[in-house]
């Protein structure tokens, strides 16, 4: 429909005249999809034109009706100041041909062509668990990366591992004081998690452990070889485990340079800030004042001289700009970190870098499972790997009941189980809190990943059963309302991709998937293929193919894997 919208906007623009003060984009925004089919397929609200033309909207709509002529529009009506366009069925058929010709490329745009975007996402904290607090960043980031790639951007996926900080000091103390090397070698990250928790328990009784942890971290910062060797070891053990989850999800990153990679570059940031007169001392610590921007000061160095999360983030941003020359750098984290990003973006600007505005924080809401909030200190954590594996097992159980003879059961259960979790996370606007309830996420009849994957599989099996399309001319095929509605939904996909990109909002695609599934399922029930005339059959096969491509592309954009059988 984009093409039609553009043509309408152009002709309206010409009728308004060059000095109307409305740009092509302004007029495009006035073109809507009417809520009901009887109001047409596209509609222009003429109210804004009243002042320009000094006529009533009703008169303008009447006047424009006879003067706008567009190929593909069968009929135009003027109703109460609205100009309603009714698209012809032959135009709809040509839309279907366009979709099927584009295939896997349908919905792509070139907004990002020649541009680079860095996407910092997932970024778990090493030596701690990879828990469901990182589900949002992992799946939102992955989807944003795909949406950007689909829009022509060169994408650099960055896993900015939280692999530096006092937590390593704690681990080193735990290791040196009570941990068992063999156990760590055997049980890997689980054992690290256990001794880490034990540290907190012991430190409650013996607070001096905290001082020792700070000392150990300080030694790491000073480059002490023994400390760095231990750090490296802990990092590798944890990363190995994280990689299993990424492999399960089919996610890969272009860079795993985390905080540790930047710790020795933090000094350069400090020097630069000093040189630019931005640094101020306060109780032995160093900070940048942000009073003028209504923010608390941004801490750069602690009073023991060690660097902070923020210091390393500043170093990393400068490094990324130099290395990738990005046009945008996105940071996907929970909304709790919003101040941190606002502060360090501002410091980048104060340092004189003119790309402050290219840094974008993408916040998202909190997650709970069956209503229970995440609390890592008390050990009430759900590991991401457990959540996914649990989902897969539950899907297997459902499948054994519904379709016990399914081939490739394990592979399909993996796709559907992961899909259920991912879809659930991406269902509503990202800033909203997400509650994970198994029964809801796995409901094959609800607004879920399994339902979307099931609908995709249905489009495949319909096509398989239908076989070859009868060879007949259907360019003048007359559609029924259900078919028209289906084509209308299909034709909106490119716009949904563009809006998901604009708002950094994968849920625009998720919601679209539900619309398309609903429309296709109605079509499936109301419009038989096997018992239809040759012309109907040929047209409906075209529609099914367009659904399969569009739904397939949309599923890919949110990181769901397709399955032809379910
Ligand atoms: N490791 C951090 C956390 O788990 C997220 C890092 C986000 N990226 C960044 N450049 N600060 O909270």
């Amino acid at each position: 429909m984009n093409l039609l919208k553009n043509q309408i906007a152009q002709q309206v623009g010409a009728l308004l005249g060059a000095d109307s003060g409305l740009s092509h984009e302004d007029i495009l925004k006035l073109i809507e999809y009417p809520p009901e089919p009887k109001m047409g397929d596209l509609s222009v609200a003429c109210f804004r034109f009243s002042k320009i033309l000094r006529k009533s909207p009703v008169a303008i709509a009447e006047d424009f009706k006879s003067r706008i002529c567009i190929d593909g529009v069968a009929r135009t009506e003027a109703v109460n100041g609205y100009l309603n366009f009714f698209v012809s069925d032959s135009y709809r058929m040509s839309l279907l041909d366009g979709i099927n010709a584009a295939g896997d490329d349908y919905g792509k745009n070139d907004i990002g062509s020649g541009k680079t975007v860095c996407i910092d996402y997932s970024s778990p904290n090493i030596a701690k668990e990879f828990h469901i607090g990182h589900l949002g960043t992992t799946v939102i980031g992955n989807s944003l990366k795909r949406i950007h790639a689909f829009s022509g951007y060169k994408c650099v996926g960055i896993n900015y591992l939280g692999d530096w900080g006092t937590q390593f000091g704690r681990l080193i103390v735990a290791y040196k004081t009570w941990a068992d090397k063999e156990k760590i070698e055997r049980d890997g990250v689980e054992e690290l998690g256990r001794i880490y928790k034990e540290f907190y328990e012991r430190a409650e009784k013996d607070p001096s452990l905290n001082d020792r942890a700070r000392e150990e971290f300080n030694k790491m910062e000073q480059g002490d070889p023994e400390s760095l060797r231990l750090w490296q070891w802990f990092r590798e053990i944890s990363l190995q485990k994280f990689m299993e989850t990424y492999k399960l999800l089919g996610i890969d990153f272009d860079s795993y340079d985390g905080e540790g990679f930047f710790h020795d570059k933090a000094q350069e940031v400090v020097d630069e800030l000093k040189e630019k007169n931005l640094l101020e001392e306060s109780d032995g610590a160093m900070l940048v004042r942000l009073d003028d921007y209504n923010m608390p000061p941004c801490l750069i160095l602690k009073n023991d001289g060690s660097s902070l999360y923020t210091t390393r983030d500043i170093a990393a941003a400068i490094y990324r700009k130099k290395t990738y020359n990005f046009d945008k750098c996105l940071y996907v984290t929970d909304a709790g970190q919003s101040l941190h990003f606002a502060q360090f973006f501002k410091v980048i600007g104060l340092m004189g870098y003119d790309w402050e505005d290219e840094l974008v924080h993408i916040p998202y809401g909190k997650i709970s499972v069956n209503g229970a909030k995440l609390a890592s200190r008390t050990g009430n954590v759900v590991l991401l790997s457990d959540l996914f594996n649990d989902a897969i097992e539950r899907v297997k159980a459902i499948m054994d009941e519904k379709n016990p003879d399914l081939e490739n059961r394990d592979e399909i259960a993996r796709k559907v189980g992961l899909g259920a979790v991912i879809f659930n996370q991406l269902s509503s606007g990202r800033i909203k809190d997400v509650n994970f309830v198994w029964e809801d996420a796995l409901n094959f009849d609800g607004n879920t990943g399994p339902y979307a994957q099931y609908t995709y599989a249905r489009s495949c099996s319909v096509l398989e059963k239908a076989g070859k399309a009868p060879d007949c001319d259907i360019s003048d095929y007359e559609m029924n309302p259900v078919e028209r509605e289906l084509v209308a939904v299909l034709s909106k996909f490119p716009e949904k991709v563009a809006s998901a990109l604009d708002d950094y909002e994968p849920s625009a695609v998720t919601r679209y998937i539900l619309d398309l599934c609903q429309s296709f399922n109605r079509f499936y029930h109301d419009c038989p293929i096997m018992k239809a005339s040759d012309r109907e059959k040929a047209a409906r096969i075209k529609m099914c193919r367009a659904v399969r491509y569009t739904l397939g592309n949309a599923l890919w954009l949110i990181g769901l894997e397709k399955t032809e059988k379910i």
Side-chain angles (χ1 to χ4, degrees):
M1 292 284 182
N2 261 341
L3 200 65
L4 279 190
K5 273 191 173 180
N6 270 308
Q7 288 174 353
I8 294 173
Q10 240 158 25
Q11 295 200 17
V12 169
L15 289 171
L16 290 173
D19 49 2
S20 71
L22 290 180
S23 69
H24 183 70
E25 269 63 42
D26 295 332
I27 301 173
L28 270 180
K29 281 194 200 120
L30 298 175
I31 308 182
E32 303 163 5
Y33 291 110
E36 282 176 59
K38 67 170 199 282
M39 300 168 169
D41 299 289
L42 290 170
S43 174
V44 183
C46 297
F47 306 94
R48 289 265 308 266
F49 311 150
S50 219
K51 250 201 189 138
I52 303 166
L53 299 175
R54 295 171 197 285
K55 273 206 263 182
S56 75
V58 174
I60 295 172
E62 273 305 332
D63 179 38
F64 280 12
K65 184 185 131 175
S66 54
R67 295 168 69 187
I68 293 181
C69 173
I70 285 161
D71 263 1
V73 171
R75 188 157 58 85
T76 312
E77 279 177 8
V79 184
N80 301 333
Y82 284 92
L83 198 55
N84 297 338
F85 298 88
F86 293 80
V87 171
S88 69
D89 281 348
S90 59
Y91 186 76
R92 287 196 178 85
M93 288 308 287
S94 72
L95 284 176
L96 287 174
D97 288 333
I99 296 172
N100 289 327
D104 294 339
D105 289 336
Y106 178 55
K108 281 190 178 168
N109 64 68
D110 56 6
I111 296 170
S113 111
K115 294 186 189 148
T116 299
V117 60
C118 288
I119 307 178
D120 175 323
Y121 70 107
S122 196
S123 311
N125 297 320
I126 290 237
K128 292 190 194 166
E129 293 104 342
F130 192 5
H131 55 66
I132 55 159
H134 285 95
L135 175 66
T137 167
T138 306
V139 306
I140 294 169
N142 185 44
S143 174
L144 288 178
K145 188 171 168 210
R146 290 179 178 202
I147 291 168
H148 278 80
F150 211 61
S151 302
Y153 279 92
K154 180 174 175 256
C155 297
V156 184
I158 301 177
N159 194 334
Y160 184 68
L161 294 170
D163 60 359
W164 201 256
T166 352
Q167 75 264 32
F168 285 94
R170 292 187 199 112
L171 263 187
I172 292 176
V173 172
Y175 176 74
K176 286 187 175 166
T177 324
W178 65 81
D180 178 346
K181 183 165 180 242
E182 259 113 67
K183 249 191 172 164
I184 298 178
E185 273 164 355
R186 196 185 60 221
D187 299 339
V189 75
E190 269 113 70
E191 180 60 11
L192 289 185
R194 206 192 57 73
I195 63 169
Y196 191 74
K197 241 173 252 147
E198 196 176 335
F199 178 92
Y200 277 108
E201 284 155 20
R202 291 195 186 214
E204 230 162 68
K205 288 180 213 117
D206 176 8
S208 74
L209 284 174
N210 288 320
D211 301 328
R212 278 186 57 203
R214 261 190 297 276
E215 268 162 40
E216 288 293 351
F217 175 55
N218 222 284
K219 273 160 73 184
M220 278 168 56
E221 288 252 295
Q222 304 312 318
D224 172 59
E226 165 68 7
S227 309
L228 287 182
R229 197 185 54 75
L230 281 175
W231 167 71
Q232 193 74 36
W233 183 47
F234 296 147
R235 184 182 189 277
E236 255 156 49
I237 291 176
S238 314
L239 194 53
Q240 249 171 30
K241 175 81 184 179
F242 295 175
M243 293 309 276
E244 286 173 21
T245 303
Y246 293 131
K247 213 171 139 215
L248 188 71
L249 289 169
I251 294 183
D252 196 13
F253 296 87
D254 301 287
S255 160
Y256 290 86
D257 288 340
E259 293 184 48
F261 181 79
F262 293 100
H263 87 270
D264 54 358
K265 298 172 183 59
Q267 189 54 44
E268 284 167 37
V269 170
V270 175
D271 294 343
E272 195 177 331
L273 285 168
K274 253 188 214 146
E275 198 184 298
K276 293 181 173 163
N277 267 328
L278 293 164
L279 225 46
E280 200 175 290
E281 206 201 302
S282 168
D283 289 338
M286 292 297 216
L287 47 82
V288 177
R289 291 239 171 251
L290 297 173
D291 305 13
D292 291 350
Y293 310 94
N294 287 327
M295 284 189 273
C298 178
L299 208 54
I300 299 291
L301 282 181
K302 290 191 212 162
N303 55 13
D304 64 3
S306 55
S307 68
L308 286 122
Y309 183 48
T310 315
T311 329
R312 296 187 283 276
D313 247 334
I314 296 171
I318 296 171
Y319 174 89
R320 286 177 195 169
K321 185 67 187 175
K322 272 197 200 123
T323 311
Y324 306 110
N325 193 21
F326 57 72
D327 296 273
K328 281 197 293 190
C329 182
L330 315 183
Y331 298 84
V332 189
T333 78
D334 66 275
Q337 297 196 33
S338 295
L339 178 63
H340 159 75
F341 286 102
Q343 285 182 309
F344 103 70
F345 293 173
K346 187 41 80 193
V347 173
I348 292 274
L350 289 173
M351 288 170 94
Y353 293 112
D354 60 3
W355 40 269
E356 174 193 344
D357 293 342
E358 295 169 9
L359 305 173
V360 189
H361 180 221
I362 316 277
Y364 62 86
K366 290 197 173 52
I367 185 162
S368 46
V369 175
N370 295 328
K373 288 244 156 62
L374 183 81
S376 93
R377 285 274 163 95
T378 58
N380 179 22
V381 289
V382 178
L383 299 187
L384 213 47
S385 52
D386 289 349
L387 184 77
F388 285 128
N389 288 322
D390 201 1
I392 295 169
E393 289 312 314
R394 284 170 191 256
V395 169
K396 275 185 195 161
I398 297 175
M399 281 176 170
D400 288 346
E401 207 178 286
K402 286 197 170 185
N403 190 359
D405 304 326
L406 187 67
E407 266 176 60
N408 297 330
R409 161 184 171 272
D410 288 0
E411 180 57 11
I412 295 172
R414 185 186 65 79
K415 291 179 178 177
V416 177
L418 300 180
V421 174
I422 296 171
F423 198 96
N424 187 79
Q425 172 75 41
L426 299 179
S427 283
S428 37
R430 61 178 152 75
I431 205 69
K432 281 223 177 110
D433 290 351
V434 172
N435 184 19
F436 196 89
V437 179
W438 281 116
E439 290 68 34
D440 296 344
L442 293 173
N443 183 353
F444 275 65
D445 303 315
N447 291 336
T448 61
Y451 165 71
Q453 281 162 315
Y454 181 82
T455 307
Y456 178 82
R458 172 174 272 177
S459 74
C460 297
S461 77
V462 169
L463 283 168
E464 197 185 302
K465 265 196 222 124
K468 213 173 144 313
D471 190 13
C472 50
D473 179 19
I474 45 168
S475 54
D476 60 348
Y477 177 75
E478 198 180 319
M479 296 186 188
N480 67 33
V482 175
E483 292 168 325
R484 283 194 190 121
E485 160 71 15
L486 178 62
V487 180
V489 176
L490 284 167
S491 70
K492 284 178 195 163
F493 181 52
E495 287 170 52
K496 300 291 175 181
V497 176
S499 97
L501 178 77
D502 239 22
D503 303 335
Y504 304 109
E505 194 56 272
S507 67
V509 179
T510 315
R511 279 200 305 271
Y512 174 75
I513 288 174
L514 293 175
D515 285 348
L516 181 56
C517 288
Q518 205 181 32
S519 186
F520 175 68
N521 283 323
R522 196 173 311 132
F523 164 83
Y524 175 82
H525 288 293
D526 292 2
C527 308
I529 293 194
M530 301 313 281
K531 282 188 226 135
S533 71
D534 273 6
R535 275 165 62 83
E536 278 171 339
K537 186 171 178 188
R540 289 174 185 170
I541 286 179
K542 250 185 206 195
M543 293 171 199
C544 283
R545 284 186 63 209
V547 167
R548 191 183 53 181
Y549 280 127
T550 310
L551 191 50
N553 294 353
L555 290 175
W556 183 81
L557 284 177
I558 59 165
L560 256 62
E561 288 182 69
K562 298 175 290 202
T563 169
E564 299 199 356
K565 298 235 159 48
I566 204 159

